[in-house]
Structures are given as structure tokens and as C-alpha cells.
Amino acid sequence: MGRPLKVVVVGDSRNRALRVAADLEQAGYAPSFSAVSSEAELAAAAGADPDLVVAWRSTPSLPAETALKVLRSTGRPVPLFVYAETYTEEEIVGLVRGGATDCLRKGDLPRLRAAVERELETRAARGRPGVLDAAAVEDRYRALIEEIPALTYVAWADENASRAYVSPQLQAMTGYTPAQWLSEPDMWVRRLHPGDRERVLRQFREACASKGRFASEYRILDHEGRVLWWRDEGRPLAGPDGSTRFMRGFVLDLTEQKLAEESLRRMRFYDQLTGLPNRVLLLNRLGRGLAEAARTGQPLALLILALDRFREIGNTLGHHNADLIVRDLAARLGDVLGTSDRVARLRGDEFGVLLPDADASVAGQMAAQTLNVLEKPFLVQELPIEISASVGMAIAPEHGAEAELLLRRADVAVQAARKLGGGASVVYSKEHEPHDPSQLALLGELRRALERNELLLHYQPKVDLKKRTVIGAEALLRWPHPRRGLIPPTEFIPLAEQTGLMRPLTRWVLHRAMGETRSFQRDGRALPVAVNVSARNLYDTEILDDVADALLTNGMAADRLQLEVTEHAVMADAGRAAAVLGGLTRRGVGVSIDDFGTGNSSLRLLRRLPVGELKIDQSFVGGMMGEGGEDAAIVRSTADLGHNLGMTVVAEGVEDQWTLDALTGLGCDSAQGFYIARPMAPGDLVRWLGQSPWRMVES
Ligand code: C2E
Ligand code: MG
Ligand code: MG
């Protein structure tokens, strides 16, 4: 005799009730029955505390869904098994979501037995302290799903991803009730922001087709048409035939986060007072505008309008009133320019205007128009206030092809305009550059030192890592200053670069380096020499004559000379640099790219340059011992790059044995650095060559 079981069977036909009884008996139970076929009968039977209720899915008078509702309304935790011949996936999901304990197929005795045992155990556990009954578990689960701050949903894997279920959070999130949301199959798609719709649907369909995860961020409109940001993640569920039938997922509302991000962005890129772009955004746009201008070959103008006597106005009228004037001016500028996205507030009293496709004459007309907006007085507490302004202009590419530089030059121009007095506009020119008097004095001294031949060269050897030989020396300029001691080249070369002094300086270095190398040769220490040339030299074809002249005068073969140019200098105008470097290599002079890794070379440009050597900047070489190994990786990949382009690779700035040993493994051919030898006066170099463990090559 099996275990007694109190069962309520929901069904119209006695046969179906008997079928359930037969299955239960065969599964080893002794069921006692009551059969019900109306909601009232079921409610009454549930009150008698049965072990379980079995409902045929498709009983016309009382379908399983209705039976579930009735049981829920009694509030009693009676398990309900649904019985049917077959199910579809959707039916199972729907029934289980409606509260069914299990969906069983007629005659599936092992499953029936397992399900009943589970329920009996749950019943036995009920009442035991600390153990939740099934209903409580269900409640908790439901609460979890329905109270977490996320929307859960089940969607059909159809064309519109129509929703089969949405959790109640929908209402708080969108203002729609779940019923409204489910009432139309394309509700979700219709509420998707048109800008995101196509992409999101594509992602949804791809996830369904590949049975992969669906993850998307998109905008969706709520009941009142407000834009919400949703993060949606779903997993496809397969039907009996293996194809995706559903997507089950959840949605997080990111709207607040996005708004916070947006307001941060606004703070970063916009001026709070006028709502105009700020300096940072103007620089961004200027950068993009310049790239476009370079592509199309069109000029671009940057105009700065600065109010005159603005600080005075703030002091006399009060800062609040000064702010009102600035706001009014911003609006007026927006009006003349037709759009305000080309205007930015740079600082207190300065506005920047970006003019694509404008040369100096167009910019001049715009300057006049912007100055016109000041003709009408500003009203401050009904008092008319007259304000004048000055305009400075810089035109790309003539005055600079980089955003920072162009902005600085427009600023130099506006300061010059200010000096001319109210209402002036000035186009940048070199003469407007302010000169630092102390720098000017230094420059004068440098010129004199050069004329009096007071400068010196020190030489730093370069060694071949494999052959352990000395293969050359780099000439480095030194200025022994009577009061300031030895001034490093990094302090005075940039100064010379801004003036006409760079050419005579380089010419001096070329002659001196070649002359001194010749004297090494007489001492039996023949060495190729490397000379650094600056950006200025590189854009000046006269360097070709200067080099040829120095070679001739000093009787030196071109292949004994190497010129070093920094990556920065080359990339500032790669086209022109390539022309000059091409001229040098055609004459047989070697060219080397110095400080490689600190500029922004493109591979395409590098390939076109006639360069035989690449010097990896000392910042990477010096950092090789550091944690993380990024610098070592950079050294290795730079060496690979150089070799792929057919260049020799030199590591600069080797300061210890460890780095020296590591370089060969990283693919470098040669090296320079304090550990091998510091830059030395010519006499010291000759002595060093005699004693060094690094051998001289015969030449
Ligand atoms: P550079 O051409 O990259 O020269 C290497 C610089 O690194 C030299 O500084 C050298 O003294 C220094 N150095 C060499 N080995 C080590 C090392 O192991 N550790 C460290 N920390 N530093 C090392 P210097 O002589 O002060 O020259 C600085 C830069 O000035 C040069 O960089 C070059 O760009 C420029 N320069 C020097 N002489 C001339 C010149 O005659 N003409 C031009 N146009 N530029 C020059
Ligand atoms: Mg160098
Ligand atoms: Mg260098």
C-alpha cells in the first residue's frame, strides 16, 4: 500500500481525474480524490488542506491559469501541478510565472514521483522553525524580482521583441502599467529612441540568432516622452526545437548616471555663465577644424575678442552687472555668427571665434562684424554702458597648424590690438611676440659667444653592442658662460631657434665637429661624427649648402657625417622635412631620428623618410628597470619597428650594466649613455678611446 495523498483534481471529465489517479497510484501513492470543476469548488477544496492540486491545462470551465489565480486568492500554500499531454516553452514559462509548482506530462511517472516527494518534504518542513515554506519562498522570490530597482522582462524572439512579461517596476520607471506595455506587441520598439532603434534591434536579433547574450545601452521614451537611458541585458531561451523562443532579461535605469555624466561634461566643456563652449572645447574643435583644413587645403581663422577695461567695469558696476554684460554679449555674438557653436568664452572678458575656410580678409570682415555688436550700448539697470573691445586673429596654416599654437598667437595678436586702443583688430605677426628681456640679453650673449668662438663641443661615444666596438661619437654643444657656468644646450637652443641665430650656430657646430674629428684621425682615432640639427635647420634648404661647404672645407667624406633630427622636428612638417632629409642622403650624409618615441610619427610617414638610424629616447631606456616592464616592451617593439623599416637602432641614455646587458636581447644594435661614457671634451675622448674596453674599429 502506497503513501496516502489528499489530491484535488481540477477537470471537467472524470476520465481525466482517473488518469491522474492512475499515474499517482503507479507512482506508488494511495491518492484520495475530490474532483472540482468550478472556481467556488476549488476554493472550498483548497480550504480543506489537500496535499496537492492537479489541474488539467485545458479544462474549459476552469483552465490551469484560472485555477492558479483562485489558489493565490485563497492565500493558502497549496502546490498546484499542471497536467497536459504536451506543452510549448511559452506555456511552461507562463504557467510557472503564474505560480504553478510544476508542469507534468501525462504518464511521466518518474517526474511525477520526484515532484510529489519534493512537495511532501516541503510540507513536512513547514512549521519547523526557521524553515520557509514553499509559499514563503515563492513570495520572497517574487519580492526580489519585483522590488529590486531593475525591470525584469521576458520577450518573444520575434520581429518586435514583443514583451510576454514585464515586472511591475515598469510603472515607476516609465509611467506605463505592465498591462499597457503588454497590450501592443511593438510597444518597446515604438518607445525606443529613433536614433538607437535600428542598432538595438540588430543587437537583439543577433543575440537571438547566435543564442548569445544580449547587452545594450539605449535611450527610450517614457509615458511623457522624456528620454530615459536603459542598460538592458538578456539571455535567450530555447524552445523545444532548439531555436530561440524568448529573451529573458533585466533593465537598469541609467538615466541619473547619464545626467550626472552629462552635467560633468558640461562643466568640463562649457562656461557656466553664458552656456557657451569653454576654452577646452574650443581647443578640441579647433584641433578637429585644423585637421579638416589640412585635408582640404583651406585656411582657418581663429579670432579672439577681448573687452577693454573689463576689470574696471566689474569694479565700478559690480561683478553681478559685469556678468550680465558678458551674457548679453554672448547672445549678441551668437546672433551675428548665426550659430553659437563656433563661439567660446575663453576667460572672463575674452571670447574665441572659430572661422573655418576663412583667410585673413574674411577674418577681418568678421572682426568688424563682431566689433559692431558693441555699438549698441549695454543696459545695466537701465543705464546705457558703452564698452569697446579689441580683436586679434591668427590664420592657419600660416601662423600655426596646431590648436595650442594658433590660440596662443591669436592671443598675442589681441594683446597687440589692445595696445592700439579701443576697437582695433590685428592679425598676428611675429613682431607682436612679447620678448622676455632676460632671454633677450642671453640671446645677445650667445651671439657674442658664437662670434668669439667661445662655445665648445663635447663628444659622447656610440658603441656597437654585438661587436663591442666604438662606432662613432655625437657632438654636443656646450656654452661655458663667464657668470652662469656651463649652460646646457636645452636652455639656449630653443632660444636660438626663435631667431636667426640657429643657422650660424649649426654651421659653427658642423665646422668644429669636422675639424675636431680630423684631429682625432691624426691621433689614429678615426671616428664618424654625429651632429644635432634643429627643427629650424630642417625647414631651411640652406642646410644642404652649409653641410656641403663644411664637408669640403674640412676634407671629410660625407659618409663620415651623421645628422640627428628629433622626431618632433620631423613630424612638425613631415613633407618639408622629407625633402631636406632626402637632399642630405643623396649627398651621402647619414640621417638619424633622435628622441624617438616622444613625437607622434605615423608609420606611413616614417616609411617615406630617408632615414638610416633610429635613436630610442632615453626616457624609455632609463625606465627599463622599472616595474611593469612597459618600457622594456616599448624598447623591443621600437627596435622591431626600426629593423622592419631597414634602420639601425640605437638606445640612448644607458646608465647601468643591467640595462646595457638587456639591450641586446631587446634587439638594439648600438647604445650611448653615461654608463658607457659621458660626453667628454675632445682631449678626454682621445684618452678614453685609448683605455676603453670598447675597441676601436680600424678605418
Ligand atoms: P640628444 O641629441 O638626445 O643628446 C643626448 C643628451 O642626453 C645629451 O644631453 C647627453 O649629455 C645626455 N645623455 C647622454 N647619455 C645619458 C645618460 O646615460 N643619462 C642621461 N640622463 N643623459 C644622457 P645634452 O648634451 O644636454 O643635450 C641635450 C639636447 O640638446 C640634445 O639631445 C640635442 O637635442 C640638443 N643639442 C645638443 N647639442 C646640440 C647642437 O649642437 N645642435 C642642436 N641643434 N641641438 C643640440
Ligand atoms: Mg642627439
Ligand atoms: Mg636624444
Side-chain angles (χ1 to χ4, degrees):
M1 190 60 186
R3 184 162 168 188
L5 209 57
K6 238 163 92 184
V7 183
V8 175
V9 180
V10 180
D12 294 329
S13 102
R14 178 147 185 84
N15 274 350
R16 283 184 161 179
L18 288 175
R19 178 75 234 194
V20 174
D23 279 356
L24 282 168
E25 269 167 24
Q26 276 187 40
Y29 299 100
S32 62
F33 274 98
S34 52
V36 297
S37 57
S38 73
E39 295 187 24
E41 283 171 13
L42 175 59
D49 204 18
D51 289 314
L52 55 100
V53 175
V54 180
W56 280 88
R57 190 194 69 220
S58 51
T59 302
S61 62
L62 190 54
E65 286 82 2
T66 317
L68 283 166
K69 266 192 219 133
V70 173
L71 283 185
R72 273 209 305 277
S73 68
T74 65
R76 288 185 164 272
V78 184
L80 182 137
F81 291 2
V82 180
Y83 234 62
E85 313 256 346
T86 55
Y87 298 90
T88 64
E89 172 85 14
E90 295 97 285
E91 283 165 346
I92 294 180
V93 172
L95 288 164
V96 171
R97 186 162 306 110
T101 309
D102 213 333
C103 296
L104 298 168
R105 269 203 308 275
K106 192 182 78 174
D108 186 351
L109 302 180
R111 176 100 188 258
L112 176 66
R113 200 176 297 124
V116 173
E117 283 309 309
R118 204 175 53 231
E119 281 317 306
L120 291 176
E121 264 170 41
T122 314
R123 268 185 87 92
R126 214 175 284 160
R128 264 194 240 150
V131 179
L132 291 170
D133 66 23
V137 172
E138 165 80 16
D139 280 354
R140 278 210 169 177
Y141 169 72
R142 194 170 280 280
L144 190 68
I145 289 295
E146 301 193 343
E147 283 164 25
I148 52 169
L151 175 74
T152 10
Y153 68 87
V154 178
W156 265 279
D158 61 14
E159 200 184 334
N160 288 317
S162 21
R163 307 285 117 158
Y165 166 81
V166 282
S167 65
Q169 289 92 328
L170 179 84
Q171 190 158 7
M173 282 163 78
T174 64
Y176 286 102
T177 64
Q180 285 170 321
W181 199 257
L182 299 180
S183 65
E184 290 173 52
D186 60 349
M187 190 64 162
W188 176 69
V189 174
R190 276 196 290 127
R191 301 311 288 173
L192 273 178
H193 192 288
D196 296 340
R197 192 178 290 149
E198 217 172 288
R199 168 182 60 89
V200 177
L201 276 175
R202 193 184 57 242
Q203 290 170 326
F204 184 86
R205 286 179 197 137
E206 277 168 9
C208 289
S210 66
K211 304 197 183 78
R213 225 164 60 91
F214 166 64
S216 186
E217 265 181 31
Y218 51 79
R219 288 161 296 173
I220 195 158
L221 304 177
D222 77 357
H223 192 244
E224 267 135 44
R226 275 186 303 245
V227 176
L228 306 175
W229 273 96
W230 280 7
R231 162 106 197 140
D232 190 337
E233 292 194 21
R235 265 202 306 137
L237 300 174
D241 63 351
S243 68
T244 302
R245 303 291 288 276
F246 283 115
M247 183 70 76
R248 180 163 50 201
F250 67 94
V251 166
L252 292 172
D253 190 329
L254 304 182
T255 312
E256 265 180 41
Q257 183 187 328
K258 290 279 178 189
L259 287 178
E261 281 170 14
E262 173 60 19
S263 81
L264 268 181
R265 204 182 71 83
R266 285 204 75 78
M267 268 161 63
R268 222 170 93 67
F269 292 120
Y270 290 86
D271 171 49
Q272 301 298 299
L273 178 65
T274 58
L276 288 179
N278 63 13
R279 186 190 158 85
V280 179
L281 186 53
L282 181 86
L283 274 172
N284 279 352
R285 291 188 174 163
L286 184 56
R288 262 181 277 141
L290 285 168
E292 177 67 15
R295 209 175 49 74
T296 58
Q298 292 297 315
L300 176 151
L302 176 66
L303 195 144
I304 295 181
L305 175 117
L307 294 176
D308 299 326
R309 299 183 303 110
F310 188 69
R311 190 168 305 153
E312 255 174 76
I313 294 169
N315 289 340
T316 48
L317 298 179
H319 293 288
H320 170 68
N321 287 326
D323 282 353
L324 292 180
I325 292 177
V326 165
R327 228 189 262 172
D328 189 357
L329 175 60
R332 292 186 192 186
L333 286 175
D335 288 345
V336 246
L337 292 159
T339 151
S340 63
D341 65 353
R342 285 194 273 137
V343 191
R345 185 170 182 220
L346 301 177
R347 59 176 99 123
D349 56 347
E350 277 190 14
F351 292 82
V353 182
L354 199 64
L355 300 172
D357 298 341
D359 56 13
S361 99
V362 176
Q365 289 162 20
M366 280 319 290
Q369 280 191 37
T370 49
L371 286 170
N372 271 346
V373 307
L374 294 157
E375 286 201 336
K376 203 173 94 196
F378 292 86
L379 285 183
V380 172
Q381 289 171 4
E382 296 179 22
L383 271 177
I385 306 286
E386 304 266 355
I387 300 179
S388 64
S390 311
V391 173
M393 290 163 270
I395 321 290
E398 196 187 336
H399 302 137
E402 288 152 28
E404 286 276 2
L405 182 65
L406 204 64
L407 184 63
R408 201 180 65 72
R409 297 207 152 152
D411 209 35
V412 167
V414 82
Q415 300 314 332
R418 271 186 154 149
K419 284 199 193 113
L420 293 177
S425 60
V426 163
V427 178
Y428 170 83
S429 131
K430 237 190 285 171
E431 285 69 53
H432 299 132
E433 289 285 354
H435 291 292
D436 176 347
S438 70
Q439 298 288 79
L440 269 184
L442 198 64
L443 205 55
E445 288 182 283
L446 179 62
R447 179 172 289 121
R448 269 193 302 282
L450 181 63
E451 282 162 10
R452 293 185 196 152
N453 215 9
E454 286 168 3
L455 300 177
L456 298 174
L457 289 181
H458 279 186
Y459 293 87
Q460 186 177 38
K462 180 165 77 178
V463 300
D464 183 304
L465 289 166
K466 276 210 198 77
K467 300 195 191 120
R468 319 284 302 168
T469 51
V470 185
I471 50 172
E474 176 176 1
L476 294 158
L477 197 50
R478 298 288 178 262
W479 178 12
H481 189 277
R483 273 173 294 112
R484 297 177 50 179
L486 207 62
I487 305 182
T490 43
E491 266 180 46
F492 62 87
I493 299 257
L495 209 59
E497 280 247 28
Q498 290 176 27
T499 65
L501 202 56
M502 204 57 232
R503 186 175 173 205
L505 197 61
T506 304
R507 213 180 313 161
W508 182 88
V509 176
L510 283 167
H511 278 278
R512 181 64 163 256
M514 290 184 202
E516 283 176 336
T517 342
R518 244 205 356 222
S519 75
F520 303 154
Q521 204 171 348
R522 280 196 297 271
D523 290 335
R525 312 275 181 217
L527 267 187
V529 71
V531 167
N532 293 282
V533 296
S534 81
R536 213 9 124 87
N537 303 135
L538 199 56
Y539 298 127
D540 181 358
T541 43
E542 285 167 334
I543 181 91
L544 298 176
D545 300 334
D546 291 346
V547 167
D549 176 51
L551 287 170
L552 199 68
T553 316
N554 293 286
M556 185 160 160
D559 63 357
R560 310 290 285 167
L561 176 68
Q562 179 113 25
L563 293 186
E564 299 193 358
V565 289
T566 65
E567 188 189 12
H568 273 293
V570 175
M571 291 307 151
D573 186 347
R576 266 160 82 189
V580 171
L581 296 181
L584 286 168
T585 41
R586 272 195 298 280
R587 282 168 172 76
V589 175
V591 174
S592 168
I593 298 201
D594 207 347
D595 301 351
F596 189 82
T598 58
N600 261 326
S601 327
S602 82
L603 204 55
R604 198 167 43 81
L605 287 176
L606 265 185
R607 196 167 282 139
R608 274 181 21 214
L609 290 174
V611 171
E613 185 182 85
L614 201 148
K615 299 182 82 171
I616 305 177
D617 190 65
Q618 38 184 283
S619 57
F620 303 113
V621 178
M624 271 168 44
M625 269 168 81
E627 280 169 28
E630 291 101 359
D631 284 340
I634 291 174
V635 169
R636 181 194 299 279
S637 53
T638 311
D640 287 348
L641 170 75
H643 291 152
N644 285 335
L645 297 173
M647 301 177 187
T648 315
V649 177
V650 188
E652 295 187 287
V654 179
E655 291 189 353
D656 53 76
Q657 178 77 47
W658 185 91
T659 305
L660 184 66
D661 293 343
L663 285 172
T664 320
L666 295 175
C668 295
D669 305 300
S670 33
Q672 264 179 292
F674 290 172
Y675 185 73
I676 301 156
R678 289 190 173 254
M680 294 168 276
D684 294 336
L685 177 75
V686 173
R687 260 188 299 280
W688 181 87
L689 289 170
Q691 305 162 353
S692 156
W694 300 87
R695 283 180 300 108
M696 282 287 293
V697 264
E698 301 305 322
S699 59

